[in-house]
Amino acid sequence: ILSNTEAIAVNQDALGIQANRVWSSHLTAHLDQHEVWAGKLVDGTAVLLSNRDETAVNITATFSDVGVSGPQHVRDLWLHRDMGTFTGSYGATVPGHGVVLLKFTPA
């Protein structure tokens, strides 16, 4: 993380708005193993998919939970890779005890 300029930019965003948990698996399974966090940025929305389970799992961030609407350009900030443009939701496989850090911007 110390050399990931895209992740550092989220941390040092000028808005300074802390992310909030917008979804948790405890809402459906009474377990707090999988979460979606989201926070507004000057130029988009940071989204974190978190997996505290031991095995990989697909976690989906719905746009309504994240607080965005319309088509969104999704960028994986860990991989420095544009994932495409999506409508309604975006899902990714999150490794066990891992996270996926994304940035949503209106398309």
Side-chain angles (χ1 to χ4, degrees):
I1 191 167
L2 295 176
S3 63
N4 186 326
T5 57
E6 292 182 85
I8 292 168
V10 169
N11 177 265
Q12 296 179 354
D13 185 74
L15 284 182
I17 297 175
Q18 178 177 320
N20 293 300
R21 185 172 71 175
V22 297
W23 180 85
S24 173
S25 59
H26 87 275
L27 300 173
T28 57
H30 303 291
L31 299 170
D32 236 357
Q33 298 295 329
H34 315 124
E35 299 176 327
V36 176
W37 290 73
K40 293 294 181 191
L41 303 171
V42 167
D43 59 350
T45 302
V47 178
L48 180 83
L49 311 178
S50 172
N51 178 12
R52 291 188 283 182
D53 205 347
E54 293 181 8
T55 58
V57 66
N58 187 53
I59 299 176
T60 298
T62 62
F63 289 6
S64 59
D65 286 345
V66 171
V68 299
S69 61
Q72 298 288 313
H73 176 76
V74 177
R75 181 164 175 82
D76 186 315
L77 302 183
W78 289 134
L79 299 177
H80 305 287
R81 183 180 304 153
D82 293 327
M83 306 309 288
T85 300
F86 297 84
T87 302
S89 66
Y90 177 79
T93 301
V94 183
H97 300 288
V99 298
V100 172
L101 180 60
L102 306 164
K103 183 176 180 180
F104 290 8
T105 53

